[in-house]
Amino acid sequence: MSQWQDVGDTAAFQEDEPRAVTVAGEPVAVVRQGDEFFAVHDICTHEVARLSEGFVEDGCIECPLHQGLFDLRTGQARKAPCVTPVRVYKTRVQGGRLEVQAP
Ligand code: FES
């Protein structure tokens, strides 16, 4: 059974500025684009770096360590050296609060 976890007021998430949250004990990076919210596992699949410290461009989040890219919607690796997809999480807004689906 899926569980939704509150990660904060939607107003706390700024456009294209990744923010680190914790969902079920896991580090997760959340990105806002307009009224859409994307959540991906916060650790790069290449080595150990926090995607929440990277930039957002063209629907992707860029790893700050070697500039690999992951698609925010699918988690697919879009640029080397990343090849393994990063986990993505579902999000929803409930009464102005953002929730992320726990695995
Ligand atoms: Fe992310 Fe290398 S650690 S691209």
Coordinates of all heavy atoms in Angstrom, one line a residue:
M1 N 0.8 -1.2 0.0 CA 0.0 0.0 0.0 C 0.9 1.2 0.0 O 1.8 1.3 0.7 CB -0.9 0.0 1.2 CG -2.0 1.0 1.1 SD -3.1 0.8 2.5 CE -2.3 1.9 3.7
S2 N 0.5 2.2 -0.9 CA 1.4 3.4 -0.9 C 1.0 4.4 0.2 O -0.1 4.4 0.7 CB 1.1 4.1 -2.3 OG -0.2 4.6 -2.3
Q3 N 2.0 5.1 0.6 CA 1.9 6.1 1.6 C 2.4 7.4 1.1 O 3.4 7.5 0.5 CB 2.7 5.7 2.8 CG 2.2 4.4 3.5 CD 2.4 4.5 5.0 OE1 3.4 5.1 5.4 NE2 1.6 3.8 5.7
W4 N 1.6 8.4 1.4 CA 2.0 9.8 1.0 C 2.6 10.5 2.2 O 2.0 10.5 3.3 CB 0.8 10.5 0.5 CG 0.3 10.0 -0.8 CD1 -0.6 9.0 -1.0 CD2 0.8 10.3 -2.1 NE1 -0.8 8.7 -2.4 CE2 0.0 9.5 -3.1 CE3 1.7 11.2 -2.7 CZ2 0.2 9.6 -4.5 CZ3 1.9 11.3 -4.0 CH2 1.2 10.5 -4.9
Q5 N 3.7 11.2 1.9 CA 4.4 11.9 3.0 C 4.4 13.4 2.7 O 4.8 13.8 1.6 CB 5.8 11.4 3.2 CG 6.5 12.0 4.4 CD 7.8 11.4 4.6 OE1 8.0 10.2 4.6 NE2 8.8 12.2 4.9
D6 N 4.0 14.2 3.7 CA 4.0 15.6 3.6 C 5.5 16.1 3.6 O 6.2 15.7 4.5 CB 3.2 16.2 4.8 CG 3.0 17.7 4.7 OD1 4.1 18.4 4.5 OD2 1.9 18.2 4.8
V7 N 5.8 16.9 2.6 CA 7.2 17.4 2.6 C 7.2 19.0 2.7 O 8.3 19.6 2.6 CB 8.0 17.0 1.4 CG1 8.2 15.5 1.5 CG2 7.4 17.4 0.1
G8 N 6.1 19.6 2.9 CA 6.1 21.0 3.2 C 5.1 21.8 2.3 O 4.4 21.3 1.4
D9 N 5.0 23.1 2.7 CA 4.1 24.0 1.9 C 4.6 24.2 0.5 O 5.8 24.3 0.3 CB 4.1 25.3 2.7 CG 3.0 26.2 2.3 OD1 2.8 26.4 1.1 OD2 2.3 26.7 3.2
T10 N 3.7 24.1 -0.5 CA 4.2 24.3 -1.9 C 4.9 25.6 -2.1 O 5.8 25.7 -2.9 CB 3.0 24.2 -2.8 OG1 2.0 25.1 -2.5 CG2 2.4 22.8 -2.8
A11 N 4.5 26.6 -1.3 CA 5.1 27.9 -1.5 C 6.6 27.9 -1.1 O 7.4 28.8 -1.5 CB 4.4 29.0 -0.6
A12 N 7.1 26.9 -0.4 CA 8.5 26.8 0.0 C 9.4 26.3 -1.2 O 10.6 26.4 -1.1 CB 8.6 25.9 1.2
F13 N 8.7 25.9 -2.2 CA 9.5 25.3 -3.4 C 9.5 26.4 -4.5 O 8.5 26.8 -5.0 CB 8.9 24.0 -3.9 CG 9.0 22.9 -2.8 CD1 8.0 22.8 -1.9 CD2 10.0 22.0 -2.8 CE1 8.0 21.8 -0.9 CE2 10.1 21.0 -1.8 CZ 9.1 20.9 -0.9
Q14 N 10.7 26.8 -4.8 CA 10.9 27.8 -5.8 C 11.1 27.2 -7.2 O 11.8 26.1 -7.3 CB 12.1 28.7 -5.5 CG 12.1 29.3 -4.1 CD 10.9 30.3 -4.0 OE1 10.7 31.1 -4.9 NE2 10.2 30.2 -2.9
E15 N 10.7 27.9 -8.2 CA 10.8 27.4 -9.6 C 12.3 27.0 -9.9 O 13.2 27.8 -9.7 CB 10.4 28.5 -10.6 CG 10.4 28.2 -12.0 CD 9.2 27.5 -12.5 OE1 8.2 27.4 -11.8 OE2 9.3 27.0 -13.6
D16 N 12.4 25.8 -10.4 CA 13.7 25.3 -10.9 C 14.8 25.3 -9.8 O 16.0 25.2 -10.2 CB 14.2 26.0 -12.1 CG 13.5 25.6 -13.4 OD1 12.8 24.6 -13.3 OD2 13.6 26.4 -14.4
E17 N 14.5 25.4 -8.5 CA 15.5 25.3 -7.5 C 15.3 24.0 -6.7 O 14.4 23.9 -5.9 CB 15.4 26.5 -6.6 CG 15.9 27.8 -7.2 CD 15.9 29.0 -6.2 OE1 15.9 28.7 -5.0 OE2 16.0 30.1 -6.7
P18 N 16.1 23.1 -6.9 CA 16.0 21.8 -6.3 C 16.0 21.9 -4.7 O 16.8 22.8 -4.2 CB 17.2 20.9 -6.8 CG 17.6 21.6 -8.0 CD 17.3 23.1 -7.8
R19 N 15.3 21.1 -4.1 CA 15.2 21.2 -2.6 C 15.3 19.8 -2.1 O 14.6 18.9 -2.5 CB 13.9 21.9 -2.2 CG 13.9 22.1 -0.8 CD 13.0 23.4 -0.4 NE 12.9 23.4 1.0 CZ 11.8 23.5 1.7 NH1 10.7 23.7 1.1 NH2 11.8 23.5 3.0
A20 N 16.2 19.6 -1.1 CA 16.3 18.3 -0.5 C 15.3 18.1 0.6 O 15.1 18.9 1.5 CB 17.7 18.2 0.1
V21 N 14.6 16.9 0.5 CA 13.7 16.5 1.5 C 14.0 15.0 1.9 O 14.8 14.4 1.2 CB 12.2 16.6 1.1 CG1 11.9 18.1 0.7 CG2 11.9 15.7 -0.1
T22 N 13.3 14.6 2.9 CA 13.5 13.2 3.3 C 12.1 12.5 3.2 O 11.1 13.0 3.7 CB 14.0 13.0 4.7 OG1 15.3 13.8 4.8 CG2 14.3 11.6 5.1
V23 N 12.1 11.3 2.5 CA 10.8 10.6 2.4 C 11.1 9.1 2.8 O 11.9 8.5 2.2 CB 10.3 10.6 0.9 CG1 9.1 9.7 0.7 CG2 10.0 12.0 0.5
A24 N 10.4 8.7 3.8 CA 10.6 7.4 4.4 C 12.1 7.1 4.7 O 12.6 6.0 4.4 CB 10.0 6.3 3.5
G25 N 12.8 8.1 5.1 CA 14.2 7.9 5.5 C 15.1 8.1 4.3 O 16.4 8.0 4.5
E26 N 14.6 8.3 3.1 CA 15.4 8.4 1.9 C 15.6 9.8 1.5 O 14.6 10.6 1.6 CB 14.8 7.6 0.7 CG 14.6 6.1 0.9 CD 16.0 5.4 0.8 OE1 16.7 5.8 -0.1 OE2 16.3 4.6 1.6
P27 N 16.8 10.2 1.0 CA 17.0 11.5 0.5 C 16.4 11.7 -0.8 O 16.6 10.9 -1.7 CB 18.5 11.6 0.4 CG 19.0 10.3 0.2 CD 18.0 9.4 0.9
V28 N 15.6 12.7 -1.0 CA 14.8 13.0 -2.2 C 15.0 14.5 -2.6 O 15.0 15.3 -1.7 CB 13.3 12.7 -2.0 CG1 12.5 13.1 -3.2 CG2 13.1 11.2 -1.8
A29 N 15.2 14.7 -3.9 CA 15.3 16.1 -4.4 C 14.0 16.4 -5.1 O 13.5 15.7 -5.9 CB 16.4 16.2 -5.4
V30 N 13.4 17.6 -4.7 CA 12.2 18.0 -5.3 C 12.4 19.2 -6.1 O 13.1 20.1 -5.7 CB 11.1 18.3 -4.2 CG1 9.9 19.0 -4.8 CG2 10.8 17.1 -3.4
V31 N 11.8 19.2 -7.3 CA 11.9 20.4 -8.2 C 10.5 20.9 -8.6 O 9.7 20.1 -9.0 CB 12.7 20.0 -9.5 CG1 12.7 21.2 -10.5 CG2 14.1 19.6 -9.2
R32 N 10.3 22.2 -8.5 CA 9.1 22.7 -9.0 C 9.2 23.4 -10.4 O 10.2 24.1 -10.6 CB 8.7 23.9 -8.0 CG 7.4 24.5 -8.5 CD 7.0 25.7 -7.5 NE 5.6 26.0 -7.8 CZ 4.7 26.4 -6.9 NH1 5.1 26.6 -5.6 NH2 3.5 26.7 -7.2
Q33 N 8.3 23.1 -11.2 CA 8.2 23.7 -12.5 C 6.8 24.2 -12.7 O 5.9 23.3 -13.1 CB 8.7 22.8 -13.6 CG 10.2 22.4 -13.5 CD 10.8 21.9 -14.7 OE1 10.4 21.0 -15.4 NE2 11.9 22.6 -15.1
G34 N 6.5 25.4 -12.5 CA 5.2 25.9 -12.6 C 4.3 25.3 -11.5 O 4.7 25.3 -10.3
D35 N 3.2 24.6 -11.9 CA 2.4 23.9 -11.0 C 2.7 22.5 -10.8 O 2.1 21.7 -10.1 CB 0.9 24.0 -11.4 CG 0.4 25.4 -11.2 OD1 0.9 26.2 -10.4 OD2 -0.5 25.8 -12.0
E36 N 3.8 22.1 -11.5 CA 4.2 20.7 -11.4 C 5.4 20.5 -10.4 O 6.3 21.3 -10.4 CB 4.6 20.2 -12.8 CG 3.5 19.9 -13.7 CD 3.9 19.2 -15.0 OE1 4.6 19.8 -15.8 OE2 3.6 18.0 -15.1
F37 N 5.4 19.4 -9.8 CA 6.5 19.0 -8.8 C 7.0 17.7 -9.2 O 6.3 16.7 -9.4 CB 5.9 19.0 -7.4 CG 5.5 20.3 -6.9 CD1 4.2 20.8 -7.1 CD2 6.3 21.2 -6.2 CE1 3.7 22.0 -6.7 CE2 5.9 22.4 -5.7 CZ 4.6 22.8 -6.0
F38 N 8.4 17.6 -9.2 CA 9.0 16.4 -9.6 C 9.9 16.0 -8.4 O 10.5 16.8 -7.7 CB 9.9 16.5 -10.8 CG 9.1 17.0 -12.0 CD1 9.1 18.3 -12.4 CD2 8.4 16.1 -12.7 CE1 8.3 18.7 -13.5 CE2 7.6 16.5 -13.8 CZ 7.6 17.8 -14.2
A39 N 10.0 14.7 -8.1 CA 10.8 14.2 -7.0 C 11.6 13.0 -7.5 O 11.1 12.1 -8.1 CB 9.8 13.7 -5.9
V40 N 12.9 13.1 -7.3 CA 13.8 12.0 -7.7 C 14.7 11.7 -6.5 O 14.9 12.6 -5.6 CB 14.7 12.5 -8.9 CG1 13.9 12.8 -10.1 CG2 15.7 13.6 -8.5
H41 N 15.3 10.5 -6.5 CA 16.2 10.2 -5.4 C 17.4 11.2 -5.5 O 17.8 11.5 -6.5 CB 16.7 8.7 -5.6 CG 17.3 8.2 -4.4 ND1 18.6 8.2 -4.1 CD2 16.7 7.6 -3.3 CE1 18.9 7.6 -2.9 NE2 17.7 7.3 -2.4
D42 N 17.8 11.6 -4.3 CA 18.8 12.7 -4.2 C 20.2 12.3 -4.5 O 21.1 13.1 -4.6 CB 18.6 13.4 -2.9 CG 19.2 14.8 -2.9 OD1 19.6 15.3 -4.0 OD2 19.4 15.4 -1.9
I43 N 20.5 11.0 -4.6 CA 21.9 10.6 -4.8 C 22.0 10.1 -6.2 O 21.3 9.3 -6.7 CB 22.3 9.4 -3.8 CG1 22.0 9.8 -2.4 CG2 23.7 9.1 -4.0 CD1 22.7 11.0 -1.9
C44 N 23.0 10.7 -6.9 CA 23.3 10.4 -8.3 C 23.6 8.9 -8.4 O 24.1 8.2 -7.5 CB 24.6 11.2 -8.7 SG 24.9 11.0 -10.5
T45 N 23.3 8.3 -9.6 CA 23.6 6.9 -9.8 C 25.0 6.6 -10.3 O 25.4 5.5 -10.5 CB 22.6 6.3 -10.8 OG1 22.7 7.0 -12.0 CG2 21.1 6.4 -10.2
H46 N 25.7 7.7 -10.6 CA 27.1 7.5 -11.1 C 28.1 7.3 -9.9 O 28.7 6.3 -9.8 CB 27.5 8.7 -11.9 CG 28.9 8.7 -12.4 ND1 29.8 9.7 -12.2 CD2 29.6 7.7 -13.0 CE1 31.0 9.4 -12.8 NE2 30.9 8.2 -13.2
E47 N 28.2 8.4 -9.1 CA 28.9 8.3 -7.8 C 28.1 8.9 -6.8 O 26.9 9.0 -6.9 CB 30.3 8.9 -8.0 CG 31.3 8.1 -8.8 CD 32.6 8.7 -9.1 OE1 32.9 9.7 -8.4 OE2 33.3 8.2 -9.9
V48 N 28.7 9.4 -5.7 CA 27.9 9.9 -4.6 C 27.9 11.4 -4.6 O 28.9 12.1 -4.3 CB 28.4 9.4 -3.2 CG1 27.6 10.0 -2.1 CG2 28.4 7.9 -3.2
A49 N 26.8 12.0 -5.1 CA 26.6 13.4 -5.1 C 25.2 13.7 -5.0 O 24.3 12.9 -5.4 CB 27.2 14.0 -6.5
R50 N 24.9 14.8 -4.4 CA 23.4 15.2 -4.2 C 22.9 16.0 -5.4 O 23.4 17.1 -5.7 CB 23.3 16.0 -2.9 CG 23.5 15.2 -1.7 CD 22.9 15.8 -0.5 NE 23.0 14.9 0.6 CZ 21.9 14.2 1.1 NH1 20.7 14.4 0.6 NH2 22.1 13.4 2.1
L51 N 21.9 15.4 -6.0 CA 21.3 16.1 -7.2 C 20.6 17.4 -6.8 O 20.5 18.3 -7.6 CB 20.3 15.2 -7.9 CG 20.9 13.9 -8.4 CD1 19.8 13.0 -9.0 CD2 22.0 14.2 -9.4
S52 N 20.2 17.5 -5.5 CA 19.5 18.7 -5.0 C 20.5 19.9 -5.0 O 20.1 21.0 -4.9 CB 18.9 18.5 -3.6 OG 19.9 18.1 -2.7
E53 N 21.8 19.6 -5.2 CA 22.8 20.7 -5.2 C 23.1 21.0 -6.7 O 24.0 21.8 -6.9 CB 24.0 20.3 -4.4 CG 23.7 20.1 -2.9 CD 24.9 19.6 -2.1 OE1 26.0 19.3 -2.7 OE2 24.7 19.4 -0.9
G54 N 22.4 20.4 -7.6 CA 22.7 20.7 -9.0 C 21.7 21.7 -9.6 O 20.8 22.2 -8.9
F55 N 21.9 21.9 -10.9 CA 21.0 22.8 -11.6 C 19.9 22.1 -12.4 O 20.0 20.9 -12.6 CB 21.8 23.6 -12.7 CG 22.8 24.6 -12.1 CD1 24.1 24.3 -12.1 CD2 22.3 25.7 -11.5 CE1 25.0 25.2 -11.5 CE2 23.2 26.6 -10.9 CZ 24.6 26.3 -10.9
V56 N 18.8 22.8 -12.7 CA 17.8 22.3 -13.5 C 17.8 22.9 -14.9 O 18.0 24.1 -15.0 CB 16.4 22.6 -12.9 CG1 15.3 22.1 -13.8 CG2 16.3 21.9 -11.5
E57 N 17.8 22.1 -16.0 CA 17.7 22.6 -17.3 C 17.0 21.6 -18.2 O 17.2 20.4 -18.2 CB 19.2 22.9 -17.8 CG 20.1 21.7 -17.9 CD 21.5 22.0 -18.4 OE1 22.0 23.0 -18.0 OE2 21.9 21.3 -19.3
D58 N 16.2 22.2 -19.1 CA 15.5 21.4 -20.1 C 14.8 20.1 -19.6 O 14.9 19.1 -20.1 CB 16.5 20.9 -21.2 CG 17.0 22.1 -22.0 OD1 16.3 23.2 -22.0 OD2 18.1 22.0 -22.6
G59 N 14.1 20.3 -18.5 CA 13.4 19.2 -17.9 C 14.3 18.1 -17.2 O 13.8 17.1 -16.9
C60 N 15.5 18.5 -17.1 CA 16.5 17.5 -16.4 C 17.1 18.2 -15.2 O 17.1 19.4 -15.1 CB 17.6 17.2 -17.4 SG 17.1 16.2 -18.8
I61 N 17.6 17.3 -14.3 CA 18.4 17.8 -13.2 C 19.8 17.4 -13.4 O 20.1 16.2 -13.9 CB 17.8 17.3 -11.8 CG1 18.5 18.0 -10.7 CG2 17.9 15.8 -11.7 CD1 17.8 17.8 -9.3
E62 N 20.7 18.3 -13.2 CA 22.2 18.1 -13.5 C 22.9 17.8 -12.2 O 22.8 18.5 -11.3 CB 22.8 19.3 -14.2 CG 24.2 19.1 -14.5 CD 24.8 20.4 -15.0 OE1 25.0 21.4 -14.2 OE2 25.1 20.5 -16.2
C63 N 23.7 16.7 -12.3 CA 24.5 16.3 -11.1 C 25.6 17.4 -11.0 O 26.3 17.7 -12.0 CB 25.1 14.9 -11.3 SG 26.2 14.5 -10.0
P64 N 25.9 17.9 -9.8 CA 26.9 18.9 -9.6 C 28.3 18.3 -9.7 O 29.3 19.1 -9.9 CB 26.6 19.4 -8.2 CG 26.0 18.3 -7.5 CD 25.2 17.6 -8.5
L65 N 28.5 17.0 -9.6 CA 29.9 16.5 -9.6 C 30.5 16.3 -11.0 O 31.6 16.8 -11.3 CB 29.9 15.2 -8.8 CG 31.2 14.7 -8.4 CD1 32.0 15.8 -7.6 CD2 31.1 13.4 -7.5
H66 N 29.8 15.6 -11.9 CA 30.3 15.4 -13.3 C 29.3 15.9 -14.3 O 29.5 15.5 -15.5 CB 30.7 13.9 -13.5 CG 31.6 13.4 -12.4 ND1 31.1 12.4 -11.5 CD2 32.9 13.7 -12.1 CE1 32.2 12.1 -10.7 NE2 33.2 12.9 -11.0
Q67 N 28.3 16.6 -13.9 CA 27.4 17.2 -14.9 C 26.6 16.2 -15.7 O 26.1 16.5 -16.8 CB 28.1 18.2 -15.8 CG 28.5 19.5 -15.1 CD 29.7 19.3 -14.2 OE1 30.7 18.8 -14.5 NE2 29.5 19.7 -12.9
G68 N 26.4 15.0 -15.2 CA 25.4 14.1 -15.8 C 24.0 14.6 -15.7 O 23.8 15.5 -14.8
L69 N 23.1 14.2 -16.5 CA 21.7 14.7 -16.5 C 20.7 13.6 -16.3 O 20.9 12.5 -16.9 CB 21.4 15.4 -17.8 CG 22.1 16.8 -18.1 CD1 21.7 17.2 -19.5 CD2 21.6 17.8 -17.1
F70 N 19.7 13.8 -15.6 CA 18.6 12.9 -15.4 C 17.3 13.6 -15.8 O 17.0 14.7 -15.3 CB 18.5 12.4 -14.0 CG 19.6 11.6 -13.5 CD1 20.7 12.2 -12.8 CD2 19.8 10.3 -13.8 CE1 21.8 11.5 -12.4 CE2 20.9 9.5 -13.4 CZ 21.9 10.1 -12.7
D71 N 16.4 12.9 -16.5 CA 15.1 13.4 -16.9 C 14.2 13.5 -15.6 O 14.1 12.5 -14.9 CB 14.5 12.5 -17.9 CG 13.2 13.0 -18.5 OD1 12.2 13.3 -17.7 OD2 13.1 13.2 -19.7
L72 N 13.7 14.6 -15.3 CA 12.9 14.8 -14.1 C 11.6 13.9 -14.1 O 11.1 13.5 -13.0 CB 12.5 16.2 -13.9 CG 13.6 17.1 -13.3 CD1 13.2 18.6 -13.5 CD2 13.9 16.8 -11.9
R73 N 11.0 13.7 -15.3 CA 9.8 13.0 -15.3 C 10.0 11.5 -15.2 O 9.2 10.8 -14.6 CB 9.0 13.2 -16.6 CG 8.4 14.5 -16.7 CD 7.7 14.7 -18.0 NE 7.3 16.2 -18.2 CZ 6.3 16.7 -17.6 NH1 5.4 16.0 -17.0 NH2 6.1 18.0 -17.7
T74 N 11.0 11.0 -15.9 CA 11.2 9.5 -16.0 C 12.4 9.0 -15.1 O 12.5 7.8 -14.9 CB 11.5 9.1 -17.4 OG1 12.7 9.7 -17.8 CG2 10.3 9.6 -18.3
G75 N 13.3 9.9 -14.8 CA 14.5 9.4 -14.1 C 15.6 8.9 -15.0 O 16.7 8.5 -14.6
Q76 N 15.3 8.8 -16.3 CA 16.2 8.3 -17.3 C 17.5 9.1 -17.3 O 17.4 10.4 -17.2 CB 15.7 8.2 -18.7 CG 14.6 7.2 -18.9 CD 15.1 5.8 -18.7 OE1 16.2 5.4 -19.2 NE2 14.4 5.0 -17.9
A77 N 18.6 8.5 -17.5 CA 19.9 9.2 -17.6 C 19.9 9.8 -19.0 O 19.7 9.1 -20.0 CB 21.1 8.3 -17.4
R78 N 20.2 11.1 -19.1 CA 20.2 11.8 -20.4 C 21.6 12.3 -20.9 O 21.7 12.7 -22.0 CB 19.3 13.1 -20.3 CG 17.8 12.7 -20.1 CD 17.2 12.4 -21.5 NE 15.8 12.1 -21.3 CZ 15.2 11.0 -21.8 NH1 15.8 10.1 -22.4 NH2 13.9 10.9 -21.6
K79 N 22.6 12.2 -20.0 CA 23.9 12.6 -20.4 C 24.9 11.9 -19.6 O 24.8 11.7 -18.4 CB 24.0 14.1 -20.2 CG 25.3 14.7 -20.8 CD 25.3 16.2 -20.6 CE 26.7 16.7 -20.5 NZ 27.0 17.8 -19.6
A80 N 26.0 11.5 -20.3 CA 27.1 10.8 -19.6 C 27.8 11.8 -18.6 O 27.7 13.0 -18.8 CB 28.2 10.4 -20.7
P81 N 28.4 11.2 -17.6 CA 28.7 9.8 -17.4 C 27.5 9.0 -16.8 O 27.7 7.8 -16.4 CB 29.9 9.8 -16.4 CG 29.6 11.0 -15.6 CD 29.0 12.0 -16.5
C82 N 26.3 9.5 -16.6 CA 25.2 8.8 -16.0 C 24.6 7.9 -17.0 O 24.3 8.3 -18.2 CB 24.2 9.7 -15.5 SG 24.8 10.9 -14.3
V83 N 24.4 6.6 -16.7 CA 23.7 5.6 -17.5 C 22.6 5.0 -16.8 O 21.6 4.6 -17.5 CB 24.7 4.6 -18.1 CG1 25.6 5.2 -19.1 CG2 25.5 3.9 -17.0
T84 N 22.7 4.8 -15.5 CA 21.6 4.2 -14.8 C 20.6 5.2 -14.4 O 20.9 6.3 -13.8 CB 22.2 3.5 -13.5 OG1 23.3 2.7 -13.9 CG2 21.2 2.8 -12.7
P85 N 19.3 4.9 -14.6 CA 18.2 5.8 -14.2 C 18.2 6.1 -12.7 O 18.7 5.2 -11.9 CB 16.9 5.1 -14.6 CG 17.3 4.0 -15.5 CD 18.7 3.7 -15.2
V86 N 17.7 7.2 -12.3 CA 17.6 7.6 -10.9 C 16.1 7.3 -10.6 O 15.2 7.5 -11.5 CB 18.0 9.0 -10.6 CG1 17.0 10.0 -11.2 CG2 18.2 9.2 -9.1
R87 N 15.8 6.9 -9.4 CA 14.5 6.6 -9.0 C 13.6 7.9 -9.0 O 14.1 8.9 -8.5 CB 14.5 6.0 -7.6 CG 13.1 5.7 -7.1 CD 13.2 4.9 -5.8 NE 11.9 4.2 -5.6 CZ 11.8 3.1 -4.8 NH1 12.8 2.6 -4.2 NH2 10.6 2.5 -4.7
V88 N 12.4 7.8 -9.4 CA 11.5 8.9 -9.4 C 10.3 8.5 -8.4 O 10.0 7.4 -8.3 CB 10.9 9.3 -10.8 CG1 12.0 9.9 -11.6 CG2 10.2 8.1 -11.4
Y89 N 9.7 9.6 -7.9 CA 8.6 9.4 -6.9 C 7.4 10.2 -7.4 O 7.6 11.3 -8.0 CB 9.0 9.9 -5.5 CG 10.2 9.2 -4.9 CD1 11.5 9.6 -5.3 CD2 10.1 8.2 -4.0 CE1 12.6 9.0 -4.8 CE2 11.2 7.6 -3.4 CZ 12.5 8.0 -3.8 OH 13.6 7.4 -3.3
K90 N 6.2 9.7 -7.1 CA 5.0 10.5 -7.5 C 4.8 11.6 -6.5 O 5.2 11.4 -5.3 CB 3.8 9.6 -7.5 CG 3.8 8.6 -8.6 CD 2.5 7.8 -8.7 CE 2.5 6.9 -9.9 NZ 1.7 5.7 -9.7
T91 N 4.2 12.7 -6.9 CA 3.9 13.8 -6.1 C 2.5 14.2 -6.2 O 1.9 13.9 -7.2 CB 4.8 15.0 -6.4 OG1 4.5 15.5 -7.7 CG2 6.3 14.7 -6.3
R92 N 1.9 14.9 -5.2 CA 0.6 15.4 -5.3 C 0.5 16.6 -4.3 O 1.3 16.7 -3.4 CB -0.5 14.4 -5.0 CG -0.6 14.0 -3.5 CD -1.6 12.9 -3.3 NE -1.8 12.7 -1.9 CZ -2.5 11.7 -1.4 NH1 -3.3 10.9 -2.2 NH2 -2.6 11.5 -0.1
V93 N -0.4 17.5 -4.6 CA -0.7 18.6 -3.8 C -2.0 18.5 -3.1 O -3.0 18.2 -3.7 CB -0.7 20.0 -4.6 CG1 -1.0 21.1 -3.7 CG2 0.7 20.2 -5.2
Q94 N -2.0 18.6 -1.8 CA -3.2 18.5 -1.0 C -3.3 19.7 -0.1 O -2.5 19.9 0.8 CB -3.1 17.2 -0.1 CG -3.0 15.9 -0.9 CD -4.4 15.4 -1.3 OE1 -5.2 15.0 -0.4 NE2 -4.6 15.4 -2.6
G95 N -4.3 20.5 -0.4 CA -4.5 21.7 0.5 C -3.3 22.6 0.6 O -3.0 23.1 1.7
G96 N -2.6 22.8 -0.5 CA -1.4 23.7 -0.5 C -0.2 23.0 0.1 O 0.9 23.7 0.2
R97 N -0.2 21.8 0.4 CA 0.9 21.0 0.9 C 1.4 20.0 -0.2 O 0.6 19.4 -0.9 CB 0.6 20.2 2.2 CG -0.1 21.0 3.3 CD 0.9 21.9 4.0 NE 1.9 21.1 4.7 CZ 2.9 21.7 5.4 NH1 3.0 23.0 5.6 NH2 3.9 20.9 5.9
L98 N 2.7 19.9 -0.3 CA 3.2 18.9 -1.2 C 3.4 17.6 -0.5 O 4.0 17.5 0.6 CB 4.6 19.4 -1.8 CG 5.2 18.5 -2.8 CD1 4.3 18.3 -4.1 CD2 6.6 18.9 -3.2
E99 N 3.0 16.5 -1.2 CA 3.2 15.2 -0.7 C 4.0 14.4 -1.7 O 3.7 14.5 -2.9 CB 1.9 14.5 -0.4 CG 1.1 15.2 0.7 CD -0.2 14.5 1.1 OE1 -0.6 13.6 0.4 OE2 -0.8 15.0 2.1
V100 N 4.8 13.5 -1.2 CA 5.6 12.6 -2.1 C 5.2 11.2 -1.7 O 5.1 10.9 -0.5 CB 7.1 12.8 -1.9 CG1 7.9 11.8 -2.7 CG2 7.5 14.3 -2.3
Q101 N 5.1 10.3 -2.7 CA 4.7 9.0 -2.4 C 5.9 8.2 -1.9 O 6.9 8.1 -2.6 CB 4.1 8.3 -3.6 CG 3.4 7.0 -3.3 CD 2.7 6.4 -4.5 OE1 3.2 6.4 -5.6 NE2 1.5 6.0 -4.3
A102 N 5.8 7.6 -0.7 CA 6.9 6.8 -0.2 C 6.9 5.5 -0.9 O 5.9 4.9 -1.2 CB 6.7 6.7 1.3
P103 N 8.1 4.9 -1.1 CA 8.3 3.6 -1.7 C 7.7 2.5 -0.8 O 7.6 2.7 0.3 CB 9.8 3.5 -1.9 CG 10.4 4.4 -1.0 CD 9.4 5.5 -0.7
Ligands
FES1 FE1 26.8 12.4 -10.7 FE2 29.2 11.7 -11.5 S1 28.5 11.7 -9.5 S2 27.6 12.5 -12.7

